[in-house]
Amino acid sequence: MDSGSEITAHLPPEVLNWLYAYQREHQFASLEGAIVDIVCKFYAQGNHLPERVADLERRVNALSREVIHLRQQLPENYDRLREQLAAVRLSHSGILHNLRDRVEALEAEVFAHRPNAVDAEADS
């Protein structure tokens, strides 16, 4: 079968290009061989098609149930995360307040023992 045959004359260019690529990839001597291979593979898989469709339906149903479950958990997870974030903020706030108090106490102790500029000038 050549590119000017009756079958290929009615094919859109993108399908014909795909057939030529399939022919090259699978190393068929002619386009006719590639077409026969495709048709045979299609019919060989045809017997398993209902099983494959049923399997896909089961997978879609399982994924749908999982999505529903995740959507139901979303508010719980969101609330739990907000509570955890509030606890972390409160904890950090307390730590920062404690550190600020310690720094102020250290500054008061350090600067209490250091003579200030006014006392230094009075001594001179």
Side-chain angles (χ1 to χ4, degrees), residues 41-54:
K41 284 181 180 177
F42 174 78
Y43 279 104
Q45 293 175 356
N47 296 337
H48 303 290
L49 192 57
E51 296 169 12
R52 292 174 67 190
V53 169

Side-chain angles (χ1 to χ4, degrees), residues 4-119:
S5 74
E6 190 174 319
I7 293 175
T8 57
H10 301 290
L11 294 175
E14 56 272 358
V15 173
L16 195 55
N17 288 336
W18 180 83
L19 281 173
Y20 283 124
Y22 186 90
Q23 176 188 0
R24 283 189 304 276
E25 180 181 336
H26 296 285
Q27 300 176 349
F28 287 102
S30 67
L31 198 57
E32 180 181 59
I35 293 171
V36 168
D37 184 61
I38 293 168
V39 170
C40 288
K41 284 181 180 177
F42 174 78
Y43 279 104
Q45 293 175 356
N47 296 337
H48 303 290
L49 192 57
E51 296 169 12
R52 292 174 67 190
V53 169
D55 182 47
L56 287 173
E57 286 177 347
R58 284 190 295 274
R59 290 166 61 189
V60 165
N61 288 335
L63 288 173
S64 296
R65 285 191 300 272
E66 188 175 342
V67 165
I68 289 169
H69 178 72
L70 289 173
R71 282 185 179 169
Q72 290 170 345
Q73 284 185 330
L74 186 63
E76 293 173 14
N77 290 342
Y78 180 76
D79 290 342
R80 185 173 40 81
L81 289 172
R82 283 182 58 97
E83 290 170 3
Q84 290 175 355
L85 179 62
V88 167
R89 283 182 176 162
L90 183 61
S91 172
H92 285 154
S93 172
I95 290 170
L96 289 174
H97 184 70
N98 187 8
L99 285 173
R100 189 177 308 119
D101 290 345
R102 287 181 179 187
V103 167
E104 288 173 358
L106 283 171
E107 285 175 344
E109 185 177 323
V110 168
F111 293 130
H113 298 297
R114 195 173 88 176
N116 61 23
V118 174
D119 293 336

